[in-house]
Amino acid sequence: MNHMAFFISDGTGITAESLGHSLLSRFSNLHLDQVTLPYINTEERAIQTAERIKDAAVKTGKTPIVVISIVSAELRDIIKTSDGLVLDLFEAFLAPIEKLLGYSADQHPGSAFGMDQSNYQQRILAVNFALDNDDGGKTKNYDIADVIVIGLSRSGKTPTCLYLGMQFGIPTANYPITEDDLDDSSLPKILQPHRKKLFGLLIDPERLASIRQERYANSRYASMQQCEFETRQYKALLDRYKIPHLDSTHLSIEELSTRIMESVGIERHFNS
């Protein structure tokens, strides 16, 4: 049986889960069954969680990996009675920081995700901008956009723009490169004044055909021949106009977004 990994928190579990995923991604050859347990904020729930970890150790015959982000020292101690390899975020990181600063960290669950109203408003505005300027529906706001993502139909433009808005507060538009654009071999006129804001998403033709087949099965649009033609011509267009680009085939939305920001030279629009 596979190793088990538990991400446990007295809040949403986002911190423990994010760190746990980041650490375990370094072991790509192994498969681990991963479980997130949020809101473990009472003694009863902590005891139940410790028992669940013990049961997993017995069933698998392997020591579970346990990443915890819990404020209460008492609850953390209960979790540590389980038969797991317990990685305590507070003990590992906050304790040394408290010692250095001579100041105690906040002791209420979820404080890491306290809402900053200005940041929240920026997220909402950026997400609305991405939705309002999706798929070339509107082009009059391109002067406001920090970046304009271009790409073939079904290459991941929309989710990337939404992530840039939600995660980083960045107003992002996207524009589809159509077969007509490729036949003309020139950048659409509406994009030419904004060339410094453009960023292209490439995609493998086989992957593109697979995605399109899910929506329009057995169509010319989804055929391998059409997808090969479009990706070939589109890559030539990007090279001709020296537009920075990435292959989105094997990249996550998170990685695409951060690489776009780095390449275009834009920064997060949030206050600290």
Side-chain angles (χ1 to χ4, degrees), residues 5 15 18-19 23 28 39 45-46 86 89 105 129 131 133 135-136 158 168 180 199 206 216 223 231 243 255 261:
T15 301
S18 297
L19 180 62
L23 293 171
S28 56
Y39 303 111
R45 290 181 179 179
V86 179
L89 272 66
F129 186 90
L131 291 171
N133 296 273
D135 216 25
T158 297
F168 304 121
D180 289 341
F199 194 95
E206 291 185 6
Y216 299 104
S223 69
T231 52
I243 297 170
E255 190 168 6
M261 290 171 60

Coordinates of all heavy atoms in Angstrom, one line a residue, residues 5 15 18-19 23 28 39 45-46 86 89 105 129 131 133 135-136 158 168 180 199 206 216 223 231 243 255 261:
A5 N -0.1 10.7 3.5 CA 0.4 12.0 3.9 C -0.8 12.8 4.4 O -1.9 12.9 3.7 CB 1.1 12.8 2.8
T15 N -2.3 26.5 4.3 CA -0.8 26.6 4.6 C -0.2 25.2 4.7 O 0.8 24.9 4.0 CB -0.6 27.3 5.9 OG1 -1.2 28.6 5.8 CG2 0.9 27.5 6.2
S18 N -0.3 23.5 1.2 CA 0.6 24.1 0.2 C 2.1 23.7 0.5 O 2.8 23.3 -0.4 CB 0.5 25.6 0.3 OG -0.8 26.0 -0.1
L19 N 2.5 23.7 1.8 CA 3.9 23.3 2.1 C 4.0 21.9 1.9 O 5.1 21.4 1.3 CB 4.2 23.7 3.5 CG 5.6 23.3 4.0 CD1 6.7 24.0 3.1 CD2 5.8 23.6 5.5
L23 N 6.7 20.1 -0.7 CA 7.8 19.2 -0.2 C 7.7 17.8 -0.9 O 8.7 17.3 -1.4 CB 7.7 19.0 1.3 CG 8.0 20.2 2.2 CD1 7.7 19.9 3.6 CD2 9.5 20.5 2.1
S28 N 8.7 12.8 -7.1 CA 7.8 12.5 -8.2 C 7.7 11.1 -8.6 O 6.7 10.7 -9.2 CB 8.2 13.4 -9.4 OG 9.6 13.0 -9.8
Y39 N -9.7 22.5 10.2 CA -10.5 22.8 11.4 C -10.4 21.8 12.5 O -11.4 21.4 13.2 CB -12.0 23.0 11.0 CG -12.1 24.1 10.0 CD1 -12.5 23.8 8.7 CD2 -11.8 25.5 10.3 CE1 -12.6 24.8 7.7 CE2 -11.9 26.5 9.4 CZ -12.3 26.2 8.1 OH -12.4 27.1 7.1
R45 N -11.4 16.6 18.3 CA -11.0 16.4 16.9 C -9.5 16.0 16.8 O -9.2 15.2 15.9 CB -11.3 17.7 16.2 CG -12.8 18.0 15.9 CD -13.0 19.2 15.2 NE -14.4 19.5 14.9 CZ -14.9 20.5 14.3 NH1 -14.1 21.4 13.8 NH2 -16.2 20.7 14.1
A46 N -8.7 16.6 17.7 CA -7.3 16.2 17.6 C -7.1 14.7 18.0 O -6.3 14.1 17.4 CB -6.5 17.1 18.6
V86 N 5.8 13.7 12.2 CA 5.1 14.9 12.3 C 6.0 16.1 12.1 O 7.0 16.3 12.7 CB 4.4 15.1 13.7 CG1 3.7 16.4 13.9 CG2 3.5 13.9 14.0
L89 N 4.8 23.0 11.6 CA 5.2 24.3 11.0 C 5.5 25.4 12.0 O 6.4 26.2 11.9 CB 4.1 24.8 10.1 CG 4.1 24.3 8.6 CD1 3.9 22.8 8.5 CD2 3.1 25.1 7.8
A105 N 4.1 35.4 18.3 CA 3.2 35.4 17.1 C 1.8 35.4 17.6 O 1.5 35.0 18.7 CB 3.5 34.1 16.3
F129 N -12.0 42.2 -14.2 CA -11.4 42.7 -15.5 C -11.1 41.5 -16.4 O -11.3 41.6 -17.6 CB -10.1 43.4 -15.1 CG -9.4 44.0 -16.3 CD1 -9.7 45.4 -16.7 CD2 -8.5 43.3 -17.1 CE1 -9.1 45.9 -17.8 CE2 -7.9 43.9 -18.2 CZ -8.2 45.2 -18.5
L131 N -12.6 38.6 -16.6 CA -13.9 38.1 -17.1 C -14.4 39.0 -18.2 O -14.9 38.6 -19.2 CB -14.9 37.9 -16.0 CG -14.6 36.8 -15.0 CD1 -15.6 36.9 -13.8 CD2 -14.7 35.5 -15.6
N133 N -12.8 41.0 -20.1 CA -11.9 41.2 -21.2 C -11.4 39.8 -21.7 O -10.3 39.6 -22.1 CB -10.7 42.1 -20.9 CG -11.2 43.5 -20.6 OD1 -11.3 44.3 -21.5 ND2 -11.4 43.8 -19.3
D135 N -11.2 36.4 -24.0 CA -11.3 35.9 -25.3 C -11.6 37.0 -26.4 O -12.3 36.7 -27.4 CB -12.5 34.9 -25.3 CG -12.1 33.7 -26.3 OD1 -10.9 33.4 -26.5 OD2 -13.1 33.0 -26.8
G136 N -11.0 38.1 -26.2 CA -11.2 39.2 -27.2 C -12.5 39.8 -27.2 O -12.8 40.6 -28.2
T158 N -7.8 31.6 -20.5 CA -8.8 32.1 -19.5 C -8.4 31.7 -18.1 O -8.3 32.6 -17.2 CB -10.2 31.6 -19.8 OG1 -10.6 32.2 -21.1 CG2 -11.2 32.1 -18.8
F168 N -2.8 37.4 -7.7 CA -1.9 38.5 -7.6 C -2.5 39.8 -7.8 O -1.8 40.9 -7.8 CB -0.8 38.2 -8.7 CG -0.1 36.9 -8.5 CD1 -0.1 36.0 -9.5 CD2 0.6 36.6 -7.3 CE1 0.6 34.8 -9.4 CE2 1.3 35.4 -7.2 CZ 1.3 34.5 -8.2
D180 N -7.9 32.8 -39.2 CA -7.8 33.9 -40.1 C -6.5 34.7 -39.8 O -5.9 35.2 -40.7 CB -9.0 34.9 -39.9 CG -10.3 34.3 -40.5 OD1 -10.2 33.3 -41.3 OD2 -11.4 34.7 -40.1
F199 N 1.8 38.3 -24.2 CA 2.5 37.1 -23.8 C 1.8 35.9 -24.4 O 0.6 35.8 -24.3 CB 2.6 37.0 -22.3 CG 3.6 35.9 -21.9 CD1 4.8 36.3 -21.5 CD2 3.2 34.6 -21.8 CE1 5.8 35.3 -21.1 CE2 4.1 33.6 -21.5 CZ 5.4 34.0 -21.1
E206 N -0.9 17.6 -30.0 CA -1.7 16.4 -29.6 C -2.5 16.8 -28.4 O -3.7 16.3 -28.3 CB -0.7 15.3 -29.2 CG 0.0 14.7 -30.4 CD 0.9 13.5 -30.1 OE1 0.8 13.1 -28.9 OE2 1.6 13.0 -31.0
Y216 N -15.7 19.4 -29.0 CA -16.2 19.3 -30.4 C -15.7 18.0 -31.0 O -14.8 18.1 -31.9 CB -15.9 20.5 -31.2 CG -16.5 21.8 -30.7 CD1 -15.7 22.7 -30.0 CD2 -17.8 22.1 -30.8 CE1 -16.2 23.9 -29.5 CE2 -18.4 23.3 -30.3 CZ -17.5 24.1 -29.7 OH -18.0 25.3 -29.2
S223 N -9.4 18.3 -35.2 CA -8.6 17.3 -35.9 C -7.1 17.5 -35.7 O -6.6 18.6 -35.4 CB -8.9 17.3 -37.4 OG -8.3 18.5 -38.0
T231 N -0.7 25.3 -34.5 CA 0.4 25.5 -33.6 C 1.7 25.8 -34.4 O 2.5 26.6 -33.9 CB 0.6 24.2 -32.8 OG1 0.8 23.0 -33.7 CG2 -0.5 23.9 -31.8
I243 N 7.5 37.9 -29.6 CA 6.6 37.9 -28.5 C 7.1 36.8 -27.4 O 7.2 35.7 -27.8 CB 5.2 37.7 -28.9 CG1 4.7 38.8 -29.8 CG2 4.2 37.6 -27.7 CD1 3.4 38.5 -30.5
E255 N 2.4 27.9 -12.2 CA 3.8 28.2 -12.7 C 3.7 29.1 -14.0 O 4.5 30.0 -14.1 CB 4.4 26.8 -13.1 CG 5.9 27.0 -13.5 CD 6.6 25.7 -13.6 OE1 6.0 24.6 -13.4 OE2 7.9 25.7 -13.8
M261 N 4.6 36.7 -15.1 CA 4.9 38.0 -14.4 C 6.4 38.3 -14.4 O 6.8 39.4 -14.6 CB 4.5 37.8 -12.9 CG 3.0 37.7 -12.7 SD 2.6 37.3 -11.0 CE 3.4 38.6 -10.1

